[in-house]
Amino acid sequence: MPRFACLEVRTACSSCGSSIPVNGPFRSVTCPSCFRKMPVAVDILGGFLNDFEEEYEGTEKGQGTGGTVMSGSGTYKYGCWKLPPKCPECGKPLVLPEDTATGTAICPDCGEKLHFFPAPEWLVREVPSAVSCLTPEQPPGPEGEQALEMDESSSRPIVMSCPQCGGALTVSNSSERIMKCGYCSTEVYVPDEVWTRLHPVRTAREWFVVLDGMNIHQIRSERRRMDQREEEEFLKGWKLRNTPEKVRRSFRMFVPVVLVLLAVATAITLIGMLESSKGGGVSGSWSRYGPYLVVTVTILLPVWIVIRSVFSAKIGRGRESKKALADLAAKHGWQHQAAEYRSAQGYIDAKYRGRDIEIHPDDDYAIEVELKDSAFYLKTEPPGWPGDDLQRFSSGDSRFDELFPIRYARPELAERIGSSREDAGRVLAPIFRFLEKWGGRLGRMKVDWSSAEVHLSPGHADPMDAGVRYLLPEDLEPLLEDMMVLAGGLDAASAGRTPELPGAVPGPDG
Ligand SMILES: [Zn+2]
Ligand SMILES: [Zn+2]
Ligand SMILES: [Zn+2]
């Protein structure tokens, strides 16, 4: 059963502020006052329909939503109602032509015409359930532009000069779009500025979209179910492959403690053997000294861990890391915040080359750089919470896939990455470049819609490292710079541009 949405949409001219009707699925409309061409935000127009679909079941016939949407790409006033197509003039229900995809629906009562055509491809990409459109204006042109129609009321002709011979051409609203010059016989295409002056569209009118099949929310939740199944499967093997390494790493920090205990135990046994001549023996020695060992383990070990964490920024690498952070802050005129605490590295919150950054070596992620509307969601460890508009992908590069068991991107990018190794290499180039240098030492990394974050090992070992995280002094600045390049590259890839990366771009491995 098809569903019907009735829309009425206006936007505002960014140049003169006039209200511009959007009477159909156009990607650009012409301002009726200043005749500038204004782009229409595809995602906003599609968003009205997708929101409508989400609420469809609970919406009564004739009901709907409306309001004003203000965004970076313009201001939109809209209404969207659950209404089957009706004549915009007299309100009589319209019968859609069934046998053709394109044509006109004519009101049986007043003869008013609506244009009927398949939903343009860009609209279907935003609104997968959109099938066809019914509009009072001509269907959009190949670029989604508004076709300009005759307006009988503006009858004053305009004189322009022939671009070929300079002769005077009089253009009126009865002129064809392509005119023959009376002097040189050249065919002259009447420019938009002249044409729209004669044929402005000023009134917002209702138009309709026929919707059918699964809507975007159903398609997404279906896809997410499949992605989750695939992810679970991958993680089973991934955990098996990666757990031994993690255990080894966390065991390493206890090696000195274990060695000391072993030495003490050996000493007790030796003392017992030496004293065995006096009758005490090994067991006697253990019963005398053993309790001290137990006390040492139960009291001194926790004390040692606490001391290590309290003075983490005062001793060893923690101290070097903190000093490097202070130096970096001084170099850029940033504030090294919370530097007064012995147990903390302190942190930097700053604006660097147009991005918000945070450097916080004793946090989960040491460096965080702002992204603008990133199309990626990547994590070096589960669990992940990607937005439901994202799709899981495999890069085909085993090292990348192993580093990021959680990897999602916007569907168009996920599909490009999945289509070939070359395309994956191009889309993921900024990340491949970053991994080329830091991949072997990633402690933890995350890319989401608003930021890229990273920590390195050593400095961040899992999972018993609370309070002793740091960055090696020599890593701090290069890592920050590479994160800045990564952020620029990710933003470019997210916007569908080819990222400009310094140096050669490494491709996926063989
Ligand atoms: Zn304007
Ligand atoms: Zn009618
Ligand atoms: Zn001419």
Side-chain angles (χ1 to χ4, degrees):
M1 266 294 279
R3 307 176 288 277
F4 298 105
C6 170
L7 287 147
E8 198 180 292
V9 184
R10 294 178 152 276
T11 186
C13 176
S14 64
S15 181
C16 74
S18 299
S19 162
I20 313 174
V22 183
N23 294 338
F26 299 118
R27 302 189 74 170
S28 62
V29 287
T30 304
C31 173
S33 302
C34 72
F35 309 108
R36 289 263 162 75
K37 219 177 206 176
M38 279 280 301
V40 176
V42 170
D43 54 331
I44 291 183
L45 204 56
F48 298 153
L49 288 164
N50 286 328
D51 290 349
F52 171 82
E53 285 276 50
E54 194 164 24
E55 302 296 326
Y56 186 85
E57 287 306 326
T59 308
E60 296 286 322
K61 192 180 165 192
Q63 301 290 302
T65 51
T68 304
V69 173
M70 275 181 276
S71 80
S73 40
T75 300
Y76 295 83
K77 278 201 174 75
Y78 80 104
C80 187
W81 303 275
K82 185 171 175 174
L83 272 180
K86 60 182 174 67
C87 171
E89 282 304 310
C90 69
K92 279 266 152 53
L94 283 181
V95 182
L96 301 184
E98 265 178 30
D99 46 340
T100 54
T102 308
T104 46
I106 298 166
C107 173
D109 265 41
C110 70
E112 176 74 10
K113 260 190 341 192
L114 280 188
H115 300 273
F116 182 63
F117 54 95
E121 181 248 331
W122 64 263
L123 183 66
V124 178
R125 234 180 297 137
E126 289 291 324
V127 187
S129 51
V131 179
S132 45
C133 301
L134 229 86
T135 60
E137 281 182 38
Q138 297 268 5
E143 299 298 318
E145 73 276 16
Q146 187 180 21
L148 300 160
E149 275 184 276
M150 294 297 192
D151 179 348
E152 306 306 329
S153 62
S154 55
S155 51
R156 280 172 303 147
I158 291 175
V159 178
M160 59 176 271
S161 50
C162 168
Q164 186 67 33
C165 70
L169 283 173
T170 305
V171 193
S172 73
N173 63 7
S174 58
S175 306
E176 293 291 325
R177 189 71 200 260
I178 296 171
M179 295 177 67
K180 189 172 261 180
C181 171
Y183 302 95
C184 70
S185 298
T186 303
E187 305 252 284
V188 177
Y189 183 80
V190 180
D192 277 351
E193 313 84 86
V194 176
W195 190 255
T196 45
R197 227 162 268 245
L198 293 165
H199 315 101
V201 176
R202 294 181 180 276
T203 32
R205 299 171 74 187
E206 290 173 349
W207 54 286
F208 301 86
V209 178
V210 184
L211 304 150
D212 208 352
M214 286 216 286
N215 68 40
I216 193 164
H217 310 286
Q218 294 162 331
I219 292 171
R220 279 179 184 172
S221 60
E222 179 66 30
R223 196 172 57 209
R224 182 49 55 88
R225 260 196 301 279
M226 283 163 54
D227 283 349
Q228 275 167 349
R229 217 174 305 143
E230 201 270 326
E231 185 174 297
E232 271 166 36
E233 279 302 307
F234 181 86
L235 283 176
K236 270 185 215 159
W238 183 84
K239 279 179 181 150
L240 281 178
R241 291 191 294 274
N242 289 274
T243 307
E245 165 65 12
K246 278 197 174 165
V247 170
R248 206 168 54 78
R249 252 194 280 159
S250 54
F251 178 74
R252 210 182 288 151
M253 77 171 273
F254 290 106
V255 165
V257 180
V258 171
L259 283 179
V260 167
L261 288 177
L262 271 177
V264 173
T266 315
I268 293 173
T269 310
L270 276 175
I271 290 169
M273 282 161 72
L274 288 173
E275 288 181 342
S276 62
S277 50
K278 295 175 202 164
V282 172
S283 62
S285 172
W286 269 101
S287 60
R288 232 181 307 142
Y289 299 111
Y292 295 112
L293 185 62
V294 174
V295 168
T296 310
V297 171
T298 51
I299 295 178
L300 287 188
L301 186 61
V303 167
W304 178 70
I305 289 175
V306 168
I307 287 176
R308 222 169 90 97
S309 108
V310 166
F311 292 98
S312 61
K314 272 293 201 191
I315 50 174
R317 284 170 160 177
R319 204 187 64 163
E320 293 166 27
S321 170
K322 189 169 182 174
K323 172 145 194 328
L325 194 62
D327 291 346
L328 185 72
K331 176 177 167 184
H332 289 280
W334 296 331
Q335 208 191 333
H336 184 187
Q337 305 194 64
E340 62 274 26
Y341 299 104
R342 269 188 321 222
S343 63
Q345 294 273 316
Y347 61 93
I348 292 172
D349 254 334
K351 195 117 193 153
Y352 187 36
R353 302 210 297 262
R355 292 178 196 275
D356 287 332
I357 60 162
E358 188 183 329
I359 311 174
H360 203 158
D362 53 13
D363 209 350
D364 275 353
Y365 296 95
I367 294 186
E368 176 178 342
V369 174
E370 178 192 16
L371 297 178
K372 328 243 182 241
D373 195 23
S374 142
F376 299 93
Y377 186 93
L378 305 168
K379 259 187 99 191
T380 48
E381 76 245 55
W385 295 277
D388 57 359
D389 57 331
L390 302 185
Q391 190 175 322
R392 186 169 167 80
F393 66 85
S394 290
S395 70
D397 179 299
S398 51
R399 184 157 159 254
F400 179 97
D401 288 359
E402 202 63 14
L403 273 175
F404 295 105
I406 311 292
R407 45 192 132 78
Y408 288 79
R410 268 192 219 128
E412 65 272 19
L413 288 180
E415 262 140 44
R416 261 191 76 193
I417 293 167
S419 66
S420 76
R421 289 289 291 271
E422 289 66 37
D423 270 336
R426 268 190 284 275
V427 175
L428 299 173
I431 309 171
F432 281 129
R433 178 190 181 273
F434 184 83
L435 294 181
E436 194 71 12
K437 186 153 170 201
W438 304 99
R441 293 181 45 205
L442 280 192
R444 177 178 276 189
M445 184 160 182
K446 182 172 91 175
V447 172
D448 66 14
W449 60 277
S450 67
S451 65
E453 300 170 51
V454 71
H455 212 312
L456 296 179
S457 70
H460 186 297
D462 258 353
M464 301 283 295
D465 59 342
V468 285
R469 296 187 194 125
Y470 55 85
L471 276 178
L472 294 176
E474 64 272 26
D475 288 339
L476 178 61
E477 244 188 305
L479 182 62
L480 174 64
E481 293 303 325
D482 283 338
M483 284 294 282
M484 293 298 293
V485 173
L486 174 69
L490 286 174
D491 278 350
S494 297
R497 300 194 307 269
T498 303
E500 279 172 41
L501 298 169
V505 178
D509 67 22

